[in-house]
Amino acid sequence: MISNDENKELAHRQHVKYFMRFLNILPSSLSSHDSTRVTIAYFSVAGLDVLGAITSISIELRSRIIDWLYLLQVEPNKENGDMSTCGFQGSSTINIDLDTANSHYRCGHLAMTYTGLCTLLALGDDLSLINRKAIINGVKALQTDEGNFAATLSGCESDMRFVYCAASISYILNDWSGFNIEKATEYIVKCIGYDYGIAQCPELESHGGTTYCALATLSLTRQLDKLPARQIEGLRRWLVFRQVDGFQGRPNKPVDTCYSFWVGASLKILDSLQLTDYQGNRRYVYETQDCVVGGFSKWPDTCTDPMHTYLGLAGLSLVGESGLLEIVPTLNVTVRAHDHLKSLHAKWASGS
């Protein structure tokens, strides 16, 4: 556990106000990200949650966000019952009211489905309006012969990021029937590099973000034991060596606030975060904090954004920063939201 007695302190009030702005209107600086607005909502709501400030969202605004998310849920085809496109879209601007003949323009996206579900959990929704069967079928349709997942049926890359999203969706909905665990595990093993790090696809460079996606997936699917002890030790070393003061995503790259979570959570999953310099990481993250208007940035003296703000806070939470709720590293939600999910799982299991 570390204290707030060194260098800067957490600008808690400013960060709450910062996230609230993104829940009311998307600033012009993020207009190019409108098609992925669900992820911005996730970073904002999850950020408020880790700050212990979820009650800053009024009941009325909470209901509006929940209603908006459900409007983005793609339902099965009314003519033939096809569920292959089911999931969540990223924005209401592409949620066009089309007739049945043109329904192929509506298509779920794994990253939007994952972040949408996490946002609903953080807001305390009971997921009763989720078409669980349809979403699981949508996940199943996206797994490739190689074992990884495409983001969407409408045409997209397929790599480790979406393996993680598919695993998280399956975990949240407590249904693995759409996720071939054996094939996904084989794909992850193929992506392990000569340096023991894990890449986005086979034969590519090891990366902190995709190493997290792989480890979190193996943890969620209870397949971590498929990695031999030598691989675990090599990966632990590769991750620890990503720390300069903060963390970098790859060797010889600059440190970046977001890797305080991606690399930190990977080490947490391996029960090895204690091998790092908490104070060095904390100093770097606080160098990227804007104490006036709130938010954290990628690098010091650059513009803040919701993603780096949330991941910076999540990384600080992993090392026990005062004033922040505990994070579940595998799912990237607070323990509070995860406990709510477990209560839903128990409710579903009882058939109530």
Side-chain angles (χ1 to χ4, degrees):
M1 183 71 72
I2 61 178
S3 62
N4 273 334
D5 57 0
E6 183 178 343
N7 297 330
K8 298 180 181 179
E9 294 186 354
L10 187 69
H12 189 281
R13 180 175 58 86
Q14 289 91 329
H15 296 319
V16 171
K17 292 176 69 175
Y18 179 83
F19 283 129
M20 288 299 297
R21 293 187 193 104
F22 293 100
L23 294 178
N24 286 293
I25 189 170
L26 193 67
S28 58
S29 60
L30 292 178
S31 60
S32 62
H33 298 278
D34 185 76
S35 63
T36 59
R37 190 183 285 252
V38 168
T39 62
I40 298 172
Y42 161 70
F43 292 131
S44 302
V45 171
L48 289 167
D49 196 12
V50 76
L51 285 165
I54 200 71
T55 54
S56 297
I57 307 175
S58 67
I59 294 175
E60 188 270 336
L61 179 56
R62 195 175 307 192
S63 296
R64 281 171 47 208
I65 296 170
I66 291 171
D67 290 345
W68 170 70
L69 286 168
Y70 278 120
L71 284 173
L72 302 179
Q73 184 176 201
V74 179
E75 295 289 351
N77 186 290
K78 293 180 180 178
E79 288 188 342
N80 57 24
D82 179 39
M83 301 181 187
S84 60
T85 61
C86 291
F88 280 80
Q89 294 179 286
S91 172
S92 53
T93 56
I94 54 176
N95 188 16
I96 305 167
D97 186 17
L98 297 165
D99 59 40
T100 306
N102 292 317
S103 61
H104 61 274
Y105 285 108
R106 299 203 58 200
C107 196
H109 188 288
L110 281 180
M112 306 307 136
T113 306
Y114 159 63
T115 51
L117 289 171
C118 288
T119 305
L120 289 170
L121 288 173
L123 292 171
D125 184 66
D126 63 3
L127 305 187
S128 60
L129 298 180
I130 292 291
N131 189 331
R132 288 156 56 199
K133 180 181 178 181
I135 289 179
I136 291 300
N137 274 274
V139 169
K140 186 175 183 178
L142 294 171
Q143 189 163 22
T144 70
D145 292 338
E146 197 176 3
N148 65 4
F149 286 79
T152 175
L153 276 182
S154 64
C156 188
E157 65 266 64
S158 54
D159 56 60
M160 194 70 72
R161 295 170 299 172
F162 307 117
V163 175
Y164 170 69
C165 290
S168 296
I169 293 164
S170 301
Y171 179 86
I172 291 170
L173 299 182
N174 202 24
D175 186 342
W176 293 94
S177 62
F179 189 105
N180 188 318
I181 294 175
E182 183 178 355
K183 287 177 68 174
T185 302
E186 289 174 357
Y187 177 77
I188 290 171
V189 171
K190 288 178 183 176
C191 291
I192 296 172
Y194 71 92
D195 55 4
Y196 299 103
I198 305 176
Q200 190 158 299
C201 298
E203 305 301 326
L204 296 184
E205 183 181 9
S206 299
H207 190 280
T210 49
T211 294
Y212 165 79
C213 290
L215 283 176
T217 297
L218 292 173
S219 181
L220 290 170
T221 56
R222 300 182 181 181
Q223 299 295 303
L224 267 175
D225 60 352
K226 296 296 173 66
L227 298 182
R230 181 183 177 186
Q231 167 61 30
I232 293 291
E233 285 305 310
L235 181 53
R236 187 177 282 131
R237 181 179 183 274
W238 186 86
L239 288 164
V240 169
F241 272 46
R242 299 287 64 75
Q243 183 165 25
V244 181
D245 43 8
F247 288 90
Q248 59 185 187
R250 291 173 287 165
N252 302 312
K253 293 291 184 177
V255 295
D256 180 331
T257 298
C258 68
Y259 293 108
S260 292
F261 176 78
W262 301 127
V263 176
S266 297
L267 285 165
K268 191 82 169 181
I269 292 168
L270 296 178
D271 194 24
S272 304
L273 186 57
Q274 70 277 7
L275 299 176
T276 64
D277 177 6
Y278 288 9
Q279 292 292 358
N281 178 44
R282 180 182 186 273
R283 280 194 297 272
Y284 175 77
V285 173
Y286 273 108
E287 285 177 12
T288 71
Q289 177 179 235
D290 187 327
C291 295
V292 178
V293 299
F296 290 83
S297 55
K298 182 174 184 172
W299 300 313
D301 302 318
T302 55
C303 293
T304 61
D305 63 78
M307 184 188 80
H308 286 90
T309 302
Y310 170 66
L311 292 175
L313 291 170
L316 290 172
S317 171
L318 290 174
V319 297
E321 181 73 3
S322 176
L324 298 176
L325 298 190
E326 184 181 353
I327 288 282
V328 176
T330 50
L331 202 59
N332 200 1
V333 297
T334 61
V335 170
R336 184 197 70 84
H338 190 262
D339 287 346
H340 172 53
L341 173 61
K342 285 302 180 183
S343 72
L344 295 180
H345 285 178
K347 181 179 177 182
W348 297 342
S350 68
S352 60

